[in-house]
Each structure stands twice: as structure tokens, then as C-alpha cells.
Amino acid sequence: MSIEVKNIHKSFGNFVALDNISLDFPTGELVALLGPSGCGKTTLLRIIAGLEQADSGQVLLEGEDASATHVRERQVGFVFQHYALFKHMTVFDNVAFGMRMKPRAQRPSAAKIRDKVHELLNLVQLDWLADRFPAQLSGGQRQRIALARALAVEPRVLLLDEPFGALDAKVRKELRRWLRRLHDELHITSIFVTHDQEEALEVADRVVLMDHGHVEQIGTPEEVYRHPATPFVYSFLGAVNHFHGRTEDGLIRVGEDVLQRQPDDFAQTLAQGASVVAFARPHELMILPDVGAGEGVAAKISRILAFGVTARIELDGVNGASGQHFEVELTREQVLQQGPAEGQQVRLVPSRLKVFEHTGV
Amino acid sequence: MAGAVALHVGGDHAARFEGKAATRETPLVKWTIIGLALTFFAIFLLLPLLAVFVEAFRKGWETYLTALTDPDALSAVRLTLLAALISVPLNLVFGVAAAWAIAKFEFRGKHFLITLIDLPFSVSPVIAGLVFVLIFGAQGWLGPWLFDNDIKIIFAVPGIVLATVFVTFPFVARELIPLMQAQGKEEEEAAVVLGANGWQTFWYVTLPNIKWGLLYGVILTNARAVGEFGAVSVVSGHIRGQTNTLPLHVEILYNEYMFSAAFAVASLLAMLALVTLVIKNWIEYQAARSYRTTYGTSQQESAS
């Protein structure tokens, strides 16, 4: 089933949680709502589920306005961050709950319920735990039971609120892969909320990046990572270096240094001397030995972390860039070739650069 | 219920603390403190309890039984039970409703409601009784109207029930509010998303989670309803065989120098109190046990 939200607005007192959000979730996709805590992603999920009421705007399920539909009639499956399993019920009873609560006329027979519960428990590979209580399960098991319980009512959409947020890193990784496989099997329209960019990029078909109640960018994981649309997305997805400077004939100047030799297309459209911030990922920077003031930003190597496949080099800006910190990623070969040393004065030249006009603070 | 649970869970910790030489107190300190506590306990708690039973049986079994089977005494027992029988269910329903509203919903005037629930605790029982006299008494607001319609509240059974309901008002709600607040509303939300209606959510999800706290509140309510003296004394009018509850009956007997009879009836109340305590302890034990099974031990927690 497709989900569409239109012009959703929601505030808590003076705090605007969602500001005019319009999104489209096509049938069968697994979409991640990604953003820092407090960006409104969970609120949006709860509004779609009906657990929260938007101040204005519409939620369309399969093209029909669901704003007036009660939560229990929306046929959504909701998985809570802290599982919200019924503590006093066994795993079996937890999964059977949704079917047992149906009005008598629609309720399946006891035998049917039993078969369905075991089918679901097999799907989440935990059939052997049917008689246990939630307290006797590990976090990962609880989350899978919560998912089985949500699927028991045959929801038309699946909403997951930080599903792996409360788990440790190893289990989280395992469950991610498992969720992806499950989705490929069931093809149920799913939205999951996360603040973990790795999780979103790895699992989702599409990623919706949110910040301060706004949608910053929508796209495939590849798109949002390779071509971030806003400074926020750039800083939020992966490590990144910021260069604070100003434009001059399409060149970016940081202090007296010129960041790159070629004029930047975007920077050329800006007014002379406009304040800009330029982004480059750690692997998109080259370290050149200090060759005068020809090109690049002057910096001093403060630390070299040379374990693993790649080496990380931390630098402090000098001259115009003083007070700014940079990070460069080099392969081991490059390190051996160039032989950088701590305390050495170098110049940083970006191989790829994305420039935004600097607004606000 | 939090208190009850903490009591049982804390026990293991204290034993471990005492078991190690490094954390143990010197015997002198230990026995001084224990001795002080025991002396205090003996003088102020055990001695009065013993005194009640000793005095009750001073003139032998026969006097004891006569005092209890006296028509006035039996009528007092009946009235006391009636008052408890009405006030306990009323306050059970009200307490659950109030706790549910306060713990699971946000609304204007919530703090005012919480303060209001505490009112019977903070007001002297005598004042509480007086309030009812001022409202329903002959000179009170509704007095003339009640007189014209031949309805008796003050100096009659309804007044006693009203006063009892008032003083036992907070027990169930006060017990449940922190418990329900701690539990949050995620489970209820999960139930609703799974298609349960309001009643099903309450019956299958909320109630099982609060049952021990609720029972504890009911026990406390019952104990207070049976033992209440002040408020009931003001509205009762002390009409023998009609508006005397057990505590009032004890007072009358005592004032008439019928000490053995007074203590005999008092022993009845004391026994009721003891039974209540036993039930309360059993509930605490059960609650701690269900707490352990629902929250598991740290060992089970980490197993996967």
C-alpha cells in the first residue's frame, strides 16, 4: 500500500516538530527516515500510524484520507524502539494478541491462530521460544518477536521506530541484514526511523533526510551520499571537512590561501566576496608538501593514525584557516610514498569540492 | 508497589554487604543499632498488641465471648463491614480511573486533580467529618431539603459510609499513579495498533500490569475503612445498635469502664489488622516474584 503525507504540520508548544512535510512512499519500498534526534522523524512516523495527531495536513493511505481513521482500523504494523512486548504474556500470546482482539465475526479459529503464530515465529526464526516470557529473551530476540507480533495482523504497512536503537552494535548489524532480507521476502511498504546513517544507507531503498522538522533531501542511498543537496546532509552523512571562506572570481579563498586552482561553477554565480562553506570528504583531499602559496590551504599535521587499510591524518589549519581542523584519508601506499610526519607544514588540495553559500551562523 | 518490590529486592544486597568482612560493621555498632531498634519495636508495637489480648482475656473466655456476641457489638461489626464493603469497591473503581487518567493522558488541571486526591490525607479526619455535617446536617446547606424529603444522612448509616469513602479516597489512586507512570504507555499503544479497543486494552494489558499494586491499594483501603475513627465519630451520633462502628463501640465501652469488653472488641480489630498484614505481606511477596519473572535477572538479560 502506498503512503502519502501532505503538508503535515505539528508543533509541541513553541517547538515546531514538523513544518509542512509532504512525502510520498510508494508501494513495496523500504524507506528510512534519517536525522538527528529531535528532527521530527519519530513524530512523523507516529502521525502516519495515528498515534499522534497532526495539527494540519493529511495522511493518505492508498490514496484515501486516513486522518479520521482510528489507529486500530489503519492496519499498520508498528514496531517500537523498546519493543513494548506485553510483559505478562508468553511469546506465543504476544504474537497471537492482534488476532485474538478481532471482533468475533472476523476472529480466526484457535487452530488457525496457532498455525499463524507458529508460521510467524518460524519466519523470525524463533519458534523454539514460544513459551518463554519477554524477560527471558535477549534484546535482539525481543525485537524480532515484536516484528512477528506486528506482522500477525497482516498490516498493509510496517512502521519501525528506531528498531535497532536499543541493541548493541553486533546484534544491530545482524538484524539490519535480516530486516532487509525479510523485506525482500514480504515486499510490504515499510518506513523505519533511525539516527544511524550507516543503518539507513545499508538497509533502505530510499532515504529521507530530515532536520529541524524539514525534509533536507530524498534519494537512494547512493544519491544522498554521493550528491548531498544541502550542507546539513553533507555533514550528517559520513565524515567531512568544512572550509569556511569567501568567493573571489569563482575561486574559494580561505584566509589568503586559494583552495583550488579551477574556478567553481557554483561559486561563480555568487557575489564577489560572498561567505561560503566548502565541503570535501577525507578521501577527497590531497596532501601536498608545502610549495609556497600556489594552491591549497596551509595546514600542519597534528596526528597520523596509520592502522588499518587506510591511514587517517589529522591536521590543524594555519594562517587563514587557523582554528579549523581537517581530516584526510590516505591509503597505506600513499602514506609510504609521501612519508608525512607529525608537525610537518603542508597544503591541502581538494580533488572534489562542494560549495554552499554560508547562511546564518 | 515500588516500595514493596524494593523491600524484597534490597534484601539480597544487604546480605551481601554484611557477608564481607571489608564492608561489615563492628559488632558493637551492629548490636547497639539492632538493640535500639528491637527495644523500640517491643515497647511501641509489640507491647500494645499483647496488652490488647491480655486485657481482653483477663476475665476469661466467657466474658470475652459475651462481649463479642452482645447485640450492640454485632451491629457494630455489621455496620463496619457494610461501610468497608461499599467504600472499597467505590474507591477501587475511582482509584483505577483516576490513576489511568493521570498516568496515561495529558490534560489541563492534572496537578490540581493530584492535589485533590491527596486532600483526605492532609485534612484531619475530624474536619472531614465536620464538612459532611456542614453540608448534610440539620443546620447545613442541604439540611432543610433533606429533612423535607425525609432523607437521613448525618447520624445515620449513609453519613458513615460517606465519611469512610472520603478518608479512604487516596489509597488506590496513590498506589497506582507512580506504578502506571513508570510503566509508560507503550504497551497500551502497541495494543491499540494491534486492533484492541479501549476495554480490551485495559483488561488484557493495563490491568495485568497493575494487579499487585491494585490489590495492595485495596488492602490498605480496607484496613483504613475498618479502623477509621475520627471522621466517622463526628457524623455517627453514637446511636447504639444503629450508627456505631467497631472503633466507636470500643470507645463507648471504655468510657463506661467495661474494660474487658472494650479490649475484647478491640482484639477483634487487632486480629483484622493482623490478617490484613499477612495478606499484605503475601501480596508483596507475590509482587516481588512477578517483578523478578517479568524483568528477569541480569543473567537472563544478557543471554541471547
Side-chain angles (χ1 to χ4, degrees):
Chain A
M1 182 178 68
S2 66
I3 307 169
E4 205 185 332
V5 295
K6 268 190 189 162
N7 310 99
I8 294 279
H9 191 94
K10 172 83 182 172
S11 46
F12 298 102
N14 288 330
F15 177 73
V16 178
L18 295 170
D19 188 12
N20 201 19
I21 299 274
S22 295
L23 286 169
D24 203 358
F25 304 92
T27 309
E29 264 195 12
L30 177 55
V31 180
L33 292 181
L34 175 64
S37 48
C39 73
K41 54 195 193 303
T42 293
T43 307
L44 180 59
L45 196 76
R46 289 173 63 88
I47 286 173
I48 293 172
L51 291 171
E52 209 90 56
Q53 188 76 41
D55 298 337
S56 63
Q58 282 179 306
V59 177
L60 304 175
L61 301 176
E62 202 117 57
E64 266 176 55
D65 189 358
S67 304
T69 313
H70 194 277
V71 184
R72 61 173 164 269
E73 275 126 35
R74 289 196 187 189
Q75 285 180 278
V76 297
F78 201 98
V79 176
F80 294 82
Q81 181 179 4
H82 298 289
Y83 330 121
L85 292 175
F86 306 126
K87 293 190 279 290
H88 59 284
M89 293 185 204
T90 61
V91 163
F92 183 95
D93 291 334
N94 261 286
V95 178
F97 186 85
M99 288 181 275
R100 286 177 178 163
M101 291 303 116
K102 284 189 179 174
R104 198 175 292 273
Q106 302 163 28
R107 200 185 305 156
S109 67
K112 270 216 182 97
I113 291 179
R114 197 178 54 237
D115 292 345
K116 177 87 187 176
V117 170
H118 284 297
E119 183 194 315
L120 284 162
L121 287 176
N122 277 322
L123 182 72
V124 299
Q125 300 154 0
L126 290 175
D127 198 32
W128 51 287
L129 291 176
D131 296 326
R132 301 275 186 91
F133 284 92
Q136 296 167 305
L137 310 181
S138 70
Q141 289 169 339
R142 279 180 220 179
Q143 195 55 288
R144 283 192 275 167
I145 297 300
L147 194 59
R149 183 179 67 176
L151 290 172
V153 288
E154 292 176 354
R156 299 185 295 171
V157 282
L158 194 58
L159 308 173
L160 305 104
D161 182 12
E162 300 260 3
F164 314 128
L167 303 169
D168 62 63
K170 188 163 161 267
V171 180
R172 202 148 73 199
K173 224 164 176 159
E174 237 171 72
L175 279 190
R176 252 187 236 165
R177 249 175 261 138
W178 176 82
L179 176 68
R180 183 65 236 186
R181 272 207 313 276
L182 194 77
H183 183 264
D184 292 341
E185 234 170 88
L186 300 174
H187 278 296
I188 176 169
T189 312
S190 308
I191 305 176
F192 81 101
V193 157
T194 180
H195 62 263
D196 182 342
Q197 36 126 340
E198 207 183 309
E199 194 168 291
L201 297 178
E202 199 175 300
V203 176
D205 295 318
R206 275 195 319 145
V207 178
V208 176
L209 272 129
M210 292 180 66
D211 186 38
H212 287 107
H214 294 278
V215 172
E216 295 275 334
Q217 191 176 1
I218 307 169
T220 63
E222 166 88 16
E223 276 164 19
V224 295
Y225 188 81
R226 299 283 305 163
H227 307 288
T230 66
F232 165 78
V233 178
Y234 227 117
S235 349
F236 193 74
L237 291 179
V240 75
N241 294 293
H242 310 234
F243 295 95
H244 294 277
R246 63 200 141 69
T247 58
E248 210 178 284
D249 300 328
L251 298 174
I252 313 294
R253 271 193 190 277
V254 178
E256 287 311 303
D257 299 333
V258 178
L259 193 52
Q260 90 285 44
R261 208 186 292 275
Q262 290 292 319
D264 184 83
D265 290 343
F266 174 74
Q268 274 178 320
T269 67
L270 294 177
Q272 195 75 268
S275 176
V276 293
V277 56
F279 291 87
R281 302 229 182 257
H283 64 268
E284 292 166 351
L285 283 177
M286 293 177 295
I287 294 183
L288 301 181
D290 197 16
V291 286
E295 184 190 18
V297 170
K300 204 159 115 184
I301 297 177
S302 66
R303 231 172 138 218
I304 301 175
L305 299 157
F307 50 82
V309 183
T310 57
R312 226 170 71 216
I313 302 185
E314 290 171 9
L315 304 102
D316 294 325
V318 290
N319 300 341
S322 64
Q324 300 185 30
H325 301 279
F326 307 107
E327 199 181 302
V328 177
E329 211 176 274
L330 298 176
T331 61
R332 282 189 70 83
E333 286 76 49
Q334 284 172 308
V335 172
L336 291 173
Q337 222 171 47
Q338 301 181 0
E342 285 180 16
Q344 187 188 354
Q345 181 116 343
V346 294
R347 291 200 161 265
L348 288 176
V349 178
S351 58
R352 189 160 169 264
L353 197 67
K354 177 82 180 173
V355 182
F356 294 99
E357 187 165 10
H358 190 62
T359 51
V361 279
Chain B
M1 194 89 272
V5 171
L7 216 85
H8 281 265
V9 175
D12 311 337
H13 182 71
R16 215 182 319 137
F17 211 67
E18 187 56 24
K20 281 187 222 146
T23 49
R24 200 182 299 148
E25 288 294 340
T26 63
L28 182 70
V29 173
K30 186 165 122 184
W31 289 113
T32 311
I33 292 172
I34 291 178
L36 271 174
L38 283 181
T39 314
F40 191 86
F41 167 79
I43 295 175
F44 290 99
L45 296 173
L46 203 58
L47 200 64
L49 189 65
L50 277 177
V52 168
F53 285 96
V54 170
E55 286 299 323
F57 288 103
R58 187 177 286 277
K59 293 192 179 152
W61 268 103
E62 271 172 36
T63 327
Y64 184 78
L65 284 180
T66 323
L68 293 189
T69 48
D70 178 76
D72 286 352
L74 287 179
S75 139
V77 171
R78 271 197 297 275
L79 184 57
T80 300
L81 290 182
L82 179 73
L85 220 60
I86 295 175
S87 59
V88 170
L90 271 182
N91 281 330
L92 178 123
V93 172
F94 162 77
V96 171
W100 166 278
I102 287 169
K104 312 273 175 183
F105 299 95
E106 290 302 324
F107 54 90
R108 208 185 278 263
K110 190 161 150 172
H111 287 281
F112 179 68
L113 182 60
I114 296 175
T115 315
L116 209 61
I117 289 172
D118 275 341
L119 192 68
F121 273 173
S122 48
V123 151
S124 155
V126 176
I127 308 292
L130 216 57
V131 166
F132 286 108
V133 172
L134 287 176
I135 297 174
F136 299 110
Q139 323 299 327
W141 294 354
L142 301 177
W145 184 84
L146 291 170
F147 185 79
D148 290 344
N149 288 281
D150 203 21
I151 301 169
K152 287 204 186 82
I153 291 182
I154 299 304
F155 306 143
V157 175
I160 291 170
V161 171
L162 268 178
T164 311
V165 169
F166 180 83
V167 294
T168 53
F169 216 63
F171 286 101
V172 172
R174 267 283 142 198
E175 192 61 39
L176 291 184
I177 289 168
L179 180 69
M180 287 171 107
Q181 274 173 340
Q183 285 173 348
K185 47 187 178 188
E186 264 205 344
E187 283 189 45
E188 277 83 4
E189 284 181 348
V192 173
V193 173
L194 287 169
N197 61 36
W199 176 248
Q200 286 172 323
T201 305
F202 175 74
W203 191 254
Y204 294 111
V205 176
T206 307
L207 199 58
N209 277 335
I210 60 167
K211 65 178 174 203
W212 293 116
L214 184 59
L215 222 59
Y216 191 81
V218 164
I219 289 289
L220 291 181
T221 305
N222 187 56
R224 181 68 191 264
V226 170
E228 175 55 26
F229 179 84
V232 168
S233 173
V234 175
V235 297
S236 139
H238 304 269
I239 307 166
R240 286 191 200 199
Q242 283 183 35
T243 62
N244 264 350
T245 61
L246 273 178
L248 299 182
H249 189 61
V250 172
E251 195 213 12
I252 287 177
L253 291 173
Y254 187 83
N255 285 345
E256 293 174 351
Y257 303 105
M258 297 162 72
F259 295 128
S260 285
F263 278 109
V265 177
S267 77
L268 211 61
L269 279 172
M271 273 190 285
L272 211 69
L274 289 177
V275 170
T276 305
L277 285 178
V278 170
I279 298 175
K280 180 180 143 268
N281 269 316
W282 179 77
I283 289 173
E284 279 177 358
Y285 172 74
Q286 290 295 328
R289 224 177 57 162
S290 91
Y291 178 86
R292 281 202 199 101
T293 47
T294 41
Y295 293 97
T297 63
S298 49
Q299 239 176 353
Q300 285 167 326
E301 197 82 4
S302 58
S304 63

